[in-house]
Amino acid sequence: MEFIDLKAQYQASRELINGRIQAVLDHGQYIMGPEVAELEGRLAAYTGAAHCITVASGTEALIISLMALGIAPGDEVITTPFSFIATAEAIVLLGAKPVFADIDVATCNLDPTLIEAKITPRTKAIMPVSLYGQAADMVAINAIATRHKLPVIEDAAQSFGSVYRGKRSCNLSTIGCTSFFPSKPLGCYGDGGAIFTSDDELAQAMREIRVHGQSRRYVHTRIGVGGRMDTLQCAIVLAKLERFEWELVQRNQVAAAYDALLSGRCGLVSRRRDRSSAFAQYTVVLEQRERVQAALHAAHIPTAVHYPVPMHLQPAYAHLCAADQCPVAERMAARVMSLPMGPYLSQLDVREVAATLLKEVDGIEEEAAHRIPAANAA
Ligand SMILES: *Cc1c(COP(=O)(O)O)cnc(C)c1O
């Protein structure tokens, strides 16, 4: 069993992918070839955002967004401590300070009720992450941002394709950023990412920043980066888009099967009724994670922990946030575990994963039940 079965996914779209790759090899425009604009048009239409700018990776998408917003040394950006490190890294790379607001224990996304207390005159943006595939509370976050005249960047690296109150993730705030890292819901076969916005000026700035700040050939009107996504990777995403909606349905069916077997019997990251998930991950919450993980490992069932250490406790970031400021993130970092997930995971595999997991969880509960009377007797 694979944690995410990329080979099965390739086999399902093999002809389309090979054909798209061959077309690029034939026309030879490896950088900014026709597939780049084609993909940007398709993705903008898909999300409903006016603009899509493809970039070299999800990390680059975050960096270019922050650069376009003019984030500079001394500025503060409010974000979640419970994400892949790239979220905070992008902020720190621009010389700004990530200010971590704690997460909601149910969804593991930024808790909007904790944001306002973190706003200072130096705050220049809010950067929520739509973790595991489910959008953060964007309406509440946008309302706070509007009150304080702040832009919102959604780190949607895990949530491309999900819907929040009728709108697609990536089109829920000033800027949305996603990643086409191979294991993300919509992945390429290398690195890639995209930025979405409906703000014409920001879009223009981000297009220029992507190519070294060029407004015209060899005219550099701003400081930029080498941040393009190559034509081959765009071609691969175009091919994979054909089955993407079907794959989202399959992911949701896998999640529904896990839900049916696990809910009420072990902790789960909850999902809100007003939004769907792209199920980048299906994540359970366990009191004795290491033990359950070892049992699954022994049964050759792969698992992963996203993420074992919250960002404010990472060695390079610890000085940015007092150790006790995000107790919920710390609690969840010690308890979350993601199960095999993907559009090609069979119902048989789902049942095997759930049965192995529940056997261990039930064993732990039984032991605890036996220990209590013993302790009372002593
Ligand atoms: C994967 C990921 C990124 C980084 O994307 P890359 O394409 O790997 O650079 C950023 N944020 C989150 C939440 C991610 O999951």
Side-chain angles (χ1 to χ4, degrees):
M1 204 184 303
E2 305 265 348
F3 184 64
I4 296 172
D5 195 344
L6 295 177
K7 284 182 227 130
Q9 190 188 40
Y10 170 63
Q11 287 309 328
S13 294
R14 190 190 169 94
E15 249 68 302
L16 270 169
I17 293 169
N18 290 0
R20 279 286 192 170
I21 290 174
Q22 190 60 52
V24 176
L25 295 175
D26 288 336
H27 70 55
Q29 290 175 257
Y30 301 119
I31 299 295
M32 300 307 273
E35 285 80 2
V36 178
E38 185 184 351
L39 179 63
E40 290 174 347
R42 289 281 297 278
L43 296 180
Y46 180 86
T47 60
H51 305 278
C52 168
I53 300 111
T54 56
V55 291
S57 69
T59 307
E60 209 64 49
L62 297 172
I63 293 170
I64 292 171
S65 301
L66 292 168
M67 288 175 81
L69 290 170
I71 304 298
D75 293 345
E76 294 177 357
V77 178
I78 297 173
T79 190
T80 165
F82 199 51
S83 177
F84 181 58
I85 199 68
T87 312
E89 188 180 50
I91 299 166
V92 170
L93 277 173
L94 290 183
K97 183 181 166 182
V99 173
F100 299 111
D102 209 351
I103 56 169
D104 176 341
V105 69
T107 61
C108 291
N109 275 328
L110 196 53
D111 181 343
T113 66
L114 302 176
I115 292 174
E116 220 148 11
K118 301 280 181 182
I119 295 177
T120 75
R122 290 182 296 279
T123 307
K124 292 291 152 58
I126 307 175
M127 196 149 92
V129 175
S130 295
L131 199 70
Y132 303 143
Q134 165 176 241
D137 289 331
M138 298 302 286
V139 165
I141 293 167
N142 286 336
I144 296 164
T146 304
R147 268 204 299 284
H148 296 269
K149 299 193 170 56
L150 296 169
V152 176
I153 303 173
E154 183 198 10
D155 180 344
Q158 303 181 9
S159 59
F160 188 85
S162 73
V163 178
Y164 172 86
R165 301 192 187 182
K167 283 175 88 176
R168 295 274 181 192
S169 178
C170 290
N171 183 30
L172 303 175
S173 56
T174 322
I175 296 175
C177 294
T178 199
S179 162
F180 304 123
F181 186 83
S183 61
K184 308 282 177 170
L186 181 61
C188 60
Y189 292 155
D191 278 308
I195 311 173
F196 298 84
T197 187
S198 292
D199 181 314
D200 298 346
E201 270 175 48
L202 277 176
Q204 182 61 25
M206 295 188 291
R207 283 190 194 285
E208 292 176 8
I209 292 168
R210 170 177 69 175
V211 288
H212 308 285
Q214 262 192 173
S215 51
R216 281 183 291 128
R217 194 164 171 82
Y218 300 132
V219 177
H220 301 273
T221 42
R222 40 178 114 237
I223 310 274
V225 295
R228 295 167 304 226
M229 180 167 167
D230 68 71
T231 314
L232 273 171
Q233 297 304 336
C234 289
I236 291 163
V237 175
L238 277 167
K240 290 178 76 178
L241 259 182
E242 301 297 324
R243 282 177 83 85
F244 184 60
E245 280 306 304
W246 180 86
E247 288 187 352
L248 279 177
V249 171
Q250 300 306 303
R251 284 177 183 275
N252 274 276
Q253 283 178 2
V254 168
Y258 273 137
D259 283 350
L261 294 164
L262 299 177
S263 63
R265 299 188 64 191
C266 93
L268 302 175
V269 169
S270 34
R271 273 114 48 199
R272 302 277 187 226
R273 286 181 195 282
D274 61 353
R275 64 203 83 168
S276 68
S277 178
F279 287 107
Q281 307 297 338
Y282 185 92
T283 306
V284 297
V285 183
L286 304 164
E287 291 303 319
Q288 295 204 40
R289 179 179 66 203
E290 274 61 40
R291 186 168 151 182
V292 179
Q293 193 169 28
L296 289 172
H297 181 76
H300 306 288
I301 296 170
T303 59
V305 172
H306 307 98
Y307 295 90
V309 180
M311 295 190 292
H312 66 289
L313 299 181
Q314 288 289 352
Y317 294 78
H319 66 286
L320 297 169
C321 180
D324 59 353
Q325 279 183 345
C326 299
V328 181
E330 288 167 40
R331 187 185 153 78
M332 298 316 280
R335 286 169 178 78
V336 293
M337 185 180 80
S338 298
L339 304 179
M341 170 43 90
Y344 303 94
L345 191 70
S346 72
Q347 294 285 328
L348 202 68
D349 283 345
V350 169
R351 282 199 291 276
E352 187 193 331
V353 174
T356 312
L357 176 102
L358 288 175
K359 185 163 169 251
E360 196 63 20
V361 168
D362 291 347
I364 291 167
E365 274 174 18
E366 235 165 79
E367 277 172 34
H370 284 301
R371 260 200 311 276
I372 292 158
N376 287 347

